Amino acid sequence: MPDIQVKLPDGSVRQVPAGTTPAELLDTAGAVAALVDGEPWDLGRGLDRDASLAPLPAASEPGRTVLRHSAAHVLAQAVTDLYPEASYAIGPPIEDGFYYDFDVPEPFTPDDLERIEIVELCLDGDPGGDHGGLQNSKKLYH
């Protein structure tokens, strides 16, 4: 892989192989993502070009938007894992949080919402996969 040049927050420039991730180059404490040339970028996504790099703090407004966007995906996965017949439309981050519109045969009950919340908690930190948490929550709450 060819090398790329990455400008770090302290102003230094490092030459690294293309594919190097922001997490390998930054102090990510408190960061929810990176900023690559000012645009949000997943900390684990490899860099593919020369770029300026900085952490995106979770406590910043853009960081909260990234968290809300990710939380919406976790919610959608939890609902569709528990209710495979459910379909969803939009689920944008908004100023005070996020939401998703779901099309389900019957409205969610308070018990349904509790089950969804448990599965969300088990998925949190691993929205793209399952390392036992989802299976364990299904055993407990199905």
Side-chain angles (χ1 to χ4, degrees), residues 98-117:
F98 64 93
Y99 72 93
Y100 248 112
D101 286 333
F102 292 98
D103 183 17
V104 290
E106 298 292 325
F108 293 126
T109 67
D111 287 342
D112 293 332
L113 296 176
E114 183 177 333
R115 291 174 63 212
I116 292 165
E117 184 176 15

Side-chain angles (χ1 to χ4, degrees), residues 4 6 15 27 34 37 39 49 66 68 86 102 104-105 107 121-122 126 132-133 136 139 142:
I4 58 173
V6 180
Q15 190 164 333
D27 175 4
D37 294 331
E39 296 297 319
R49 64 182 183 280
V66 169
R68 291 171 182 147
F102 292 98
V104 290
L121 291 172
C122 293
D126 188 26
N136 289 337
K139 286 177 194 172
H142 259 262

Side-chain angles (χ1 to χ4, degrees), residues 81-96:
D81 283 350
L82 286 170
Y83 307 95
E85 74 283 4
S87 59
Y88 53 90
I90 60 170
I94 56 175
E95 185 176 338
D96 294 336

